[in-house]
Amino acid sequence: MKLQRKNRLRATALGALAVSGALVLTACGSDDNTGAEAEGGKTSAAASNIKCDGAEGQLRASGSSAQKNAMDLWVKNYMAACSGVEINYSSSSSGEGIVAFNQGTVGFAGSDSALKPEEVAASKAICKTGQGINLPMVGGPIAVGFHLEGVDNLTLDASTLAKIFDTKIKKWNDPAIAALNKGVDLPDKAIQPFHRSEDSGTTQNLGKYLAAAAPSDWKYEAEKKWPAPGGQAASGSSGVASQVKAVDGTIGYFELSYAASQDITTVDINTGGAAPVKATSENASKAIAAAKVKGTGKDLALDLDYTTKAEGAYPLVLVTYEVVCDTGNKADSLGTVKSFLSYTASADGQKVLTDAGYAPIPEAINSKVREAIAGLK
């Protein structure tokens, strides 16, 4: 069983591992062989479909670390196709990205949660004639990864997850965990839950899921700052994943690409449906496809159903938004913003997501995203 599970993760990891060195993107796009052939500078079929019209100079962006591996791939492909254009995406956190956007220091921000009303109000000072809007660009499961020697398969539900991250369940052989894992030899070992140390949209989405699916066990507001006492903190999804990878007895939450690239075993979630659901891009897409647009005008913020029991739908999902001005974007970066985001929302741009452990945005929603990008001013 362990070999089969690791093989599944390893297959998913191929795309993510391919970008492990992608942080050297800010100056080497034209020398990269992924988006362009080494000889003669001929672009691949995918890269040749990228439209560079109006793009020039350097574009700075920052925010969500959840989309880091996707952004690395996108930037790499885009810079290979668009000579002389430099995209510099700083993977920090959703909170920091929104701050940078509303300070006017970036062309767009990545956020795993839609803008709050007060953040929209603040954006009007930067957007001048408009305001910040949310464009859903990256979907995917929030994987709950664990490291427990001798245990290769683990099922939890929203209630047990809430109690674990609230440090109410303290041992791996707790009766509540054992009831969900009959026949599994669970050790009498302390659970070490890890959470994000900085404001994080991933944290907020986990909170939304727990509050919706286990309201009697998770009493905290869904905020970007970790709300519960206890546990240990690490910086970024990469930091949490590294701790889970290294330390026996740990559990943490991060995007599937981090679990895949570090070969971390993930929890199957019991939703109350016919069978526990695995954290996969396909299963996340089933949940995201049921989302409703709650934004107005060009704003495409989504309302996700965290309590779904649909067969094969993985409920613990997030959607990362690219936050831009609907009108009033800076003239010197508008062309590059539109060109780059047009690529990320294109069929080619969305296609690379699955191999990197993400879920493409459903076409019914993504067609609206492309329309909104075309209308940016």
Side-chain angles (χ1 to χ4, degrees):
M1 294 294 294
K2 185 173 184 177
L3 180 59
Q4 292 175 345
R5 190 175 184 90
K6 287 192 173 183
N7 282 343
R8 287 196 300 270
L9 281 173
R10 195 168 289 114
T12 308
L14 292 176
L17 287 172
V19 301
S20 60
L23 283 178
V24 293
L25 294 174
T26 54
C28 61
S30 60
D31 296 325
D32 185 80
N33 294 334
T34 301
E37 297 178 5
E39 297 297 328
K42 295 181 180 179
T43 58
S44 66
S48 67
N49 292 330
I50 297 175
K51 294 180 172 57
C52 308
D53 300 345
E56 60 182 355
Q58 183 185 71
L59 173 63
R60 296 183 67 247
S62 69
S64 165
S65 66
Q67 67 172 354
K68 173 188 177 299
N69 291 338
M71 191 61 69
D72 285 351
L73 279 170
W74 282 334
V75 172
K76 193 174 189 180
N77 292 343
Y78 183 85
M79 288 175 57
C82 299
S83 177
V85 181
E86 184 178 305
I87 310 292
N88 186 345
Y89 181 81
S90 175
S91 172
S92 50
S93 70
S94 297
E96 292 174 70
I98 296 303
V99 169
F101 178 76
N102 280 340
Q103 290 177 341
T105 60
V106 295
F108 70 88
S111 177
D112 305 324
S113 295
L115 292 167
K116 294 180 179 180
E118 60 268 27
E119 292 170 335
V120 174
S123 73
K124 294 178 180 180
I126 295 300
C127 298
K128 304 297 185 187
T129 59
Q131 64 182 43
I133 58 172
N134 306 281
L135 301 178
M137 200 67 70
V138 181
I142 300 175
V144 179
F146 71 98
H147 180 169
L148 190 59
E149 294 297 332
V151 177
D152 305 321
N153 295 281
L154 186 70
T155 296
L156 298 174
D157 58 13
S159 176
T160 54
L161 282 169
K163 292 174 182 176
I164 286 170
F165 282 114
D166 200 18
T167 62
K168 296 294 193 297
I169 291 180
K170 301 179 183 296
K171 291 290 189 74
W172 281 108
N173 63 348
D174 187 276
I177 300 177
L180 292 165
N181 295 275
K182 297 185 184 303
V184 178
D185 187 14
L186 296 165
D188 182 16
K189 179 184 286 291
I191 300 174
Q192 299 185 59
F194 271 87
H195 58 263
R196 292 280 291 273
S197 59
E198 72 287 355
D199 287 3
S200 162
T202 310
T203 294
Q204 188 171 36
N205 280 276
L206 173 66
K208 289 178 180 178
Y209 164 71
L210 294 176
S216 62
D217 299 305
W218 190 259
K219 301 294 188 179
Y220 306 102
E221 293 293 328
E223 299 291 348
K224 293 177 181 177
K225 182 177 179 64
W226 181 255
Q232 301 179 65
S235 178
S237 292
S238 59
V240 175
S242 294
Q243 291 294 328
V244 173
K245 174 70 173 178
V247 182
D248 186 25
T250 52
I251 188 169
Y253 58 94
F254 32 77
E255 293 66 43
L256 181 62
S257 59
Y258 292 93
S261 63
Q262 297 197 43
D263 202 17
I264 297 171
T265 309
T266 60
V267 168
D268 297 341
I269 293 184
N270 183 336
T271 65
V277 185
K278 298 185 180 301
T280 68
S281 297
E282 179 183 6
N283 291 344
S285 288
K286 292 177 182 178
I288 295 171
K292 307 296 183 183
V293 175
K294 64 180 180 181
T296 58
K298 294 180 181 178
D299 183 82
L300 298 173
L302 301 178
D303 188 11
L304 298 168
D305 180 7
Y306 295 102
T307 63
T308 179
K309 293 180 175 59
E311 183 178 358
Y314 184 83
L316 182 43
V317 296
L318 63 73
V319 170
T320 299
Y321 301 94
E322 311 311 337
V323 176
V324 295
C325 296
D326 54 359
T327 64
N329 289 278
K330 293 181 179 178
D332 59 354
S333 61
L334 175 60
T336 309
V337 168
K338 292 180 70 171
S339 172
F340 178 67
L341 295 185
S342 292
Y343 162 60
T344 66
S346 70
D348 287 334
Q350 291 291 298
K351 186 177 179 180
V352 307
L353 293 178
T354 300
D355 288 339
Y358 297 97
I361 300 299
E363 178 58 26
I365 299 171
N366 198 39
S367 61
K368 298 177 182 178
V369 173
R370 291 194 291 267
E371 183 179 344
I373 293 169
L376 297 180
K377 298 179 181 177

